[in-house]
Amino acid sequence: MKFKWSYIQLPFLLVLVAFLYGFSEQRNNARKINGVHVEFMMGENLYVTEEAVNKLLIQNEVASAEIGKEILDLNRVEKLLNQHDMIENAEVFLSLNGKLQTKISQRKPIGRSVGETSFYLDRNGEVMPLSTHYSARVPLLEGMSSENVREAFPLVTYIHNDEFLTRNITGIRRLPGAKFELELREMDFKIYLGKAENLDLKFNNFKAFYKKAMNDEKLETYKKVNLQFGDQVVCTKK
């Protein structure tokens, strides 16, 4: 019986490939983490810095050069970063050269509460602490607490998404009955909004009034503009 090398050639090659793959995988897993790279989405690192992220990872023994790739729990790292007060979302992965890559989206404040307690209201309607690194230029929220600030969230969001209102409105005051009064950047009259409802109608009426009064050079003659009736603008002169 002749020995046929072709019969065992393919199985031998398969075993060899499997051995080399396993050996390579074992060596790769045994490698240590080769540093940390922090990337801020949209290029913004206003409220949390790269140094703060690295410090957080080091304190929790994540960024240590002694940690092997095989024991690094990427889900734990993401959870750790997402628990930071200034981080909205974090994605973590390892690069081919063993560097820990982190992509971070920061929380975005759209209003700042002032008074007995100071905090931001972020774009998701959640309370956000103030930052020691940066102060956001957003409308000031008066008469609000962490318990009732969500009542103002639809109003603050509407203003944040409107260029004209963002440019002109600097303050939002909560009045009894969950009603609101607005302050303008350049004009000294107040806007009485009432409840935060029918905002499209109320603000469209206000824009029409503002444009006409500005053309007539009468903006300085008013001390109060009432929008609570929705279908009309009621003005009180000085």
Side-chain angles (χ1 to χ4, degrees):
M1 181 176 179
K2 294 183 177 180
F3 179 77
K4 296 185 177 180
W5 171 254
S6 60
Y7 288 165
I8 65 172
Q9 188 175 16
L10 182 58
F12 175 76
L13 291 176
L14 291 176
V15 171
L16 179 61
V17 169
F19 170 78
L20 292 175
Y21 176 81
F23 179 73
S24 176
E25 182 72 10
Q26 184 177 15
R27 288 192 62 187
N28 181 62
N29 287 336
R31 292 178 180 176
K32 306 300 183 181
I33 294 177
N34 183 28
V36 178
H37 174 71
V38 181
E39 178 183 355
F40 291 96
M41 307 308 293
M42 304 300 293
E44 295 184 351
N45 60 330
L46 303 177
Y47 308 104
V48 58
T49 63
E50 181 176 351
E51 291 76 14
V53 173
N54 285 326
K55 183 178 180 181
L56 178 65
L57 296 177
I58 291 172
Q59 287 177 340
N60 287 271
E61 300 181 346
V62 171
S64 172
E66 299 302 317
I67 295 181
K69 293 167 61 176
E70 80 282 359
I71 63 173
L72 178 64
D73 186 346
L74 294 180
N75 289 329
R76 173 178 173 265
V77 179
E78 285 190 353
K79 183 177 180 180
L80 177 67
L81 292 174
N82 284 321
Q83 288 175 343
H84 193 284
D85 287 336
M86 299 297 176
I87 294 177
E88 183 173 288
N89 184 61
E91 296 180 4
V92 180
F93 60 95
L94 279 172
S95 63
L96 294 177
N97 63 359
K99 182 167 290 188
L100 184 66
Q101 305 279 346
T102 64
K103 292 187 175 181
I104 293 177
S105 298
Q106 297 190 71
R107 298 174 70 181
K108 302 292 191 302
I110 58 175
R112 176 175 177 169
S113 175
V114 294
E116 294 184 1
T117 57
S118 296
F119 56 84
Y120 287 126
L121 177 68
D122 75 5
R123 63 179 175 179
N124 296 315
E126 302 295 333
V127 171
M128 171 182 171
L130 302 183
S131 170
T132 57
H133 302 289
Y134 184 80
S135 181
R137 296 186 63 183
V138 292
L140 299 180
L141 312 178
E142 299 182 42
M144 302 181 205
S145 65
S146 57
E147 287 75 26
N148 64 23
V149 72
R150 285 195 63 87
E151 296 174 353
F153 179 60
L155 172 59
V156 182
T157 301
Y158 192 99
I159 293 172
H160 176 74
N161 292 331
D162 187 284
E163 182 180 355
F164 172 83
L165 299 177
T166 298
R167 187 170 64 249
N168 287 282
I169 294 177
T170 59
I172 303 172
R173 180 180 294 108
R174 184 184 184 275
L175 304 175
K179 297 181 179 181
F180 297 94
E181 184 178 72
L182 313 177
E183 293 185 359
L184 297 174
R185 186 180 306 280
E186 297 179 354
M187 300 294 105
D188 62 356
F189 62 80
K190 308 292 185 183
I191 302 174
Y192 183 78
L193 185 73
K195 289 185 175 293
E197 56 190 18
N198 300 321
L199 296 179
D200 279 331
L201 178 60
K202 290 179 179 179
F203 282 123
N204 285 337
N205 286 341
F206 173 71
K207 290 176 184 178
F209 154 79
Y210 191 94
K211 182 177 181 180
K212 186 177 187 308
M214 183 173 62
N215 290 336
D216 295 340
E217 298 183 352
K218 293 183 177 180
L219 283 175
E220 299 288 350
T221 66
Y222 300 107
K223 67 177 181 179
K224 184 176 181 180
V225 175
N226 193 332
L227 304 178
Q228 70 171 322
F229 302 109
D231 57 347
Q232 59 181 322
V233 177
V234 178
C235 303
T236 304
K237 289 191 174 183
K238 295 180 180 178

